[in-house]
Amino acid sequence: MNFHIMTLFPEMVLGGLCTSIIGRAQERGCIAVNAVNIRDYTADRHRKVDDYTYGGGAGMLMQAQPVYDCWKAVDEEIKGRRGDDVSARVVYVTPQGEVFNQKKAVELSKEEDLIFLCGHYEGIDERVLEEVVTDYISIGDYVLTGGELAAMVIIDAVARLVPGVLNNDESAQSESHASGLLEYPQYSRPEIWHGKRVPEVLLSGHHANIEKWRLEQSLERTRRRRPDMYGEYMRVGEKR
């Protein structure tokens, strides 16, 4: 899977996505991360990409032309590599988008290419958003100084669902949100730490009892910490 990030700060996203699991996945060829500097596509000799907004107001706005030309270059590269005429989805990370969740991560992980557009200042000229953006996605109801951190969060969540990225593909299926519940508690050695013992059922070797215990713990943890998720899980269960 290929991630293309249109940004004013390519070093920021590459620094955050070239280490740990995501970095190793790139080395193995499971995924590719390409950061494209929007400034490289401005027609301004001073590499300026922003200007004042029509109608007044505080702050500057990213202009349409450099964003569009940057997208066009990425789009043409993808089409040339794939040998088709289908444009990849373009995700604009913005607090005005739908809130990102695990279901959306699974959906996006099925794409061969994803383009991310990172805004700055007061945002991006609406006209270019209408031209190129297919998905408006937010990582929460708050505002950041730019879209890079949000794009990195989404890419991390999506990339780990790509086959081969995680050493154990089952882990992605058993974690919080994958099943609609929060993950059960987990324990490692030693058996006793600070006077607290590992639950006996986990030492029993009885797999059916362990799975039953884990489900019970997931249900209780979700009920206490995320009653909204618990209610939705129970409603869906009633329909099955």
Side-chain angles (χ1 to χ4, degrees):
M1 184 173 186
N2 305 291
F3 299 97
H4 312 265
I5 309 156
M6 301 192 299
T7 171
L8 297 178
F9 302 97
E11 68 283 355
M12 178 179 180
V13 293
L14 291 177
L17 293 172
C18 289
T19 59
S20 189
I21 293 173
I22 304 302
R24 291 194 294 272
Q26 292 178 66
E27 293 172 359
R28 296 197 303 271
C30 301
I31 61 172
V33 177
N34 176 36
V36 188
N37 195 334
I38 296 171
R39 289 190 190 278
D40 292 343
Y41 296 88
T42 180
D44 184 86
R45 62 190 180 95
H46 300 295
R47 291 170 58 84
K48 184 180 178 183
V49 296
D50 62 315
D51 209 330
Y52 295 104
T53 59
Y54 282 115
M60 307 287 279
L61 195 70
M62 288 177 65
Q63 296 170 292
Q65 173 267 319
V67 172
Y68 182 82
D69 287 354
C70 181
W71 166 79
K72 192 69 176 175
V74 174
D75 183 62
E76 290 176 352
E77 183 276 322
I78 293 172
K79 288 177 179 176
R81 171 171 43 81
R82 299 197 323 198
D84 59 32
D85 198 38
V86 180
S87 293
R89 290 169 72 169
V90 178
V91 176
Y92 178 41
V93 281
T94 168
Q96 297 183 22
E98 66 171 300
V99 178
F100 184 67
N101 57 26
Q102 190 67 20
K103 181 179 178 181
K104 194 69 174 181
V106 172
E107 175 192 328
L108 295 177
S109 71
K110 294 176 171 57
E111 300 291 328
E112 181 179 348
D113 290 89
L114 277 177
I115 303 174
F116 287 82
L117 173 57
C118 303
H120 263 272
Y121 314 120
E122 289 302 305
I124 300 175
D125 191 305
E126 186 70 20
R127 293 168 294 186
V128 72
L129 299 180
E130 294 172 351
E131 286 276 331
V132 308
V133 173
T134 60
D135 298 82
Y136 293 78
I137 297 180
S138 167
I139 61 167
D141 295 333
Y142 48 86
V143 180
L144 301 172
T145 55
E148 285 76 15
L149 289 173
M152 290 162 63
V153 166
I154 297 170
I155 290 170
D156 186 284
V158 172
R160 63 199 309 282
L161 298 174
V162 175
V165 171
L166 298 181
N167 290 328
N168 181 1
D169 289 337
E170 289 185 3
S171 65
Q173 303 302 318
S174 62
E175 291 170 332
S176 294
H177 302 283
S179 65
L181 296 172
L182 298 182
E183 191 176 14
Y184 46 80
Q186 299 201 60
Y187 303 84
S188 185
R189 296 180 182 180
E191 287 186 25
I192 303 174
W193 180 82
H194 282 204
K196 299 178 180 179
R197 291 181 173 273
V198 174
E200 288 296 328
V201 65
L202 299 180
L203 307 175
S204 67
H206 195 299
H207 296 296
N209 287 347
I210 290 173
E211 290 305 310
K212 178 183 177 183
W213 178 87
R214 285 175 170 171
L215 176 58
E216 291 171 348
Q217 293 295 312
S218 287
L219 284 166
E220 178 57 21
R221 176 167 286 188
T222 306
R223 185 189 67 80
R224 286 187 290 107
R225 298 183 181 179
R226 290 291 303 274
D228 56 323
M229 283 180 60
Y230 180 79
E232 179 62 23
Y233 180 86
M234 298 305 290
R235 282 192 293 273
V236 171
E238 290 174 357
K239 295 176 182 178
R240 288 198 289 263

